[in-house]
Amino acid sequence: MDIHVKPKKEHSGIDTNNPEKYFHESRFHPHYDGRFATHPLLYDDRPPHLTALIQTYLATMSSIGAETWLMHGSLLGWWWNKRIMPWDTDLDLMISERTIHYLAAYYNMSMHHFDIYGVPPPKAKIKSKGAAEKGRVRIGKEKIDPTLAVPRDYLLEINPHYSNDSQDTYNHIDARWVDTTTGLFIDITTLRHNITAESLGMKNRMMCKDGHKYWYDEIYPLRDSMFEGANVKIPHAYSSLLAEEYGPGALTDTNYENHVFNQEKMIWEPLKAGKRPKVMTALDDHTSAFFLRWKLLFDW
């Protein structure tokens, strides 16, 4: 299907110093596709669009039989409450080598149509009063009819450099799932056999082009779970992978990015202006440790 670029002016930040780089992020924010957006969404407006982004992606991959699973920051969001962390502006998913070849052969540049309920299109924009960042705009706060379907198209685009098995600084993202209404996207990377390690006699070593290295048993067999209300797969050794990438504190620290985790409501809440995070006490530390053990033993 042909792709119609909607903005009158192209907002992609094309890097002329690196002509081999395929995916180009917008000039105004690194987590937006400048072909389909002219501005970033504000904090309060972004979550429903990211939720629709992951739900449509997972539904599409399931329907076409493509294996995919959560990784990096999205996996950390799953760890805490099976939701996208409110300060995140993109999503990270991984696929197998078999899957990237399959997608490249049959689904590259394919457009996928969905009717989304309860998510308004980013139109009727008005200047945001008191916006934290200059130049941002806000979606009009018109009343939303949850029974009204809003048409939305998502693009699955494959990087032509996907078959490169070596570490690639400029093309480590092998594919993207792009919301052509907001410009938000999912970064998709491929898990590959580490040919260099195997040549040195190290078996079951895996890698991605972004430099991350894994043992096969850390990823497989994949576990079934839920994320943003949708069926999803996660890597087998999810806790150790997260601890290695972000540090053990990422699994227990309840204060991060000006948010505090409410363990009763199981949500991240933004700190109010001038409010300091609660100081951890010995009892709180014990409670967090118990919470961690409970997650490790029972929650996937």
Side-chain angles (χ1 to χ4, degrees), residues 252-298:
T252 57
D253 292 345
T254 55
N255 294 293
Y256 192 70
E257 288 286 337
N258 294 316
H259 288 72
V260 61
F261 190 74
N262 186 323
Q263 294 194 29
E264 293 182 0
K265 297 180 180 179
M266 293 294 288
I267 59 172
W268 287 98
E269 298 176 332
L271 288 171
K272 296 180 180 179
K275 184 177 179 181
R276 295 175 62 86
K278 179 183 176 183
V279 176
M280 187 72 78
T281 66
L283 179 60
D284 293 327
D285 192 43
H286 173 75
T287 301
S288 293
F290 173 81
F291 180 63
L292 171 59
R293 288 196 297 272
W294 177 79
K295 294 280 291 187
L296 287 170
L297 292 173
F298 302 108

Side-chain angles (χ1 to χ4, degrees), residues 5-187:
V5 180
K6 295 183 294 182
K8 294 180 180 179
K9 182 180 178 181
E10 176 79 19
H11 289 269
S12 294
I14 297 176
D15 189 351
T16 56
N17 294 324
N18 300 297
E20 292 193 7
K21 178 175 165 55
Y22 180 74
F23 285 121
H24 299 284
E25 297 70 38
S26 72
R27 294 188 182 96
F28 55 81
H29 195 287
H31 291 162
Y32 287 80
D33 189 323
R35 297 171 298 174
F36 304 105
T38 59
H39 59 273
L41 302 177
L42 287 176
Y43 176 93
D44 290 332
D45 302 326
R46 188 175 59 243
H49 297 283
L50 284 174
T51 297
L53 187 71
I54 187 63
Q55 289 177 342
T56 54
Y57 170 80
L58 292 173
T60 301
M61 295 300 105
S62 177
S63 68
I64 66 176
E67 184 179 66
T68 187
W69 59 93
L70 297 175
M71 285 298 285
H72 308 306
S74 299
L75 183 62
L76 186 59
W78 167 87
W79 161 265
W80 281 98
N81 60 356
K82 296 183 172 66
R83 299 183 64 181
I84 300 166
M85 292 181 290
W87 55 85
D88 270 351
T89 53
D90 73 337
L91 292 147
D92 300 294
L93 278 290
M94 191 173 284
I95 57 177
S96 63
E97 277 191 283
R98 181 178 180 179
T99 297
I100 189 63
H101 287 289
Y102 171 58
L103 296 179
Y106 297 103
Y107 292 98
N108 187 24
M109 303 305 288
S110 59
M111 195 75 79
H112 304 261
H113 179 84
F114 285 84
D115 290 328
I116 308 296
Y117 292 85
V119 179
K123 62 181 182 179
K125 307 179 191 71
I126 58 175
K127 290 183 178 179
S128 175
K129 295 181 179 180
E133 296 183 41
K134 198 173 182 180
R136 290 196 174 192
V137 294
R138 189 178 188 83
I139 296 174
K141 293 296 182 181
E142 67 274 9
K143 188 175 181 180
I144 302 169
D145 183 353
T147 65
L148 182 64
V150 177
R152 187 67 61 90
D153 291 322
Y154 296 87
L155 169 68
L156 179 59
E157 185 170 5
I158 311 300
N159 188 332
H161 301 279
Y162 76 91
S163 59
N164 180 8
D165 291 331
S166 61
Q167 190 168 326
D168 190 334
T169 303
Y170 301 115
N171 291 293
H172 61 272
I173 303 301
D174 292 302
R176 275 184 177 161
W177 178 259
V178 186
D179 181 349
T180 63
T181 300
T182 65
L184 291 167
F185 56 75
I186 293 175
D187 276 337

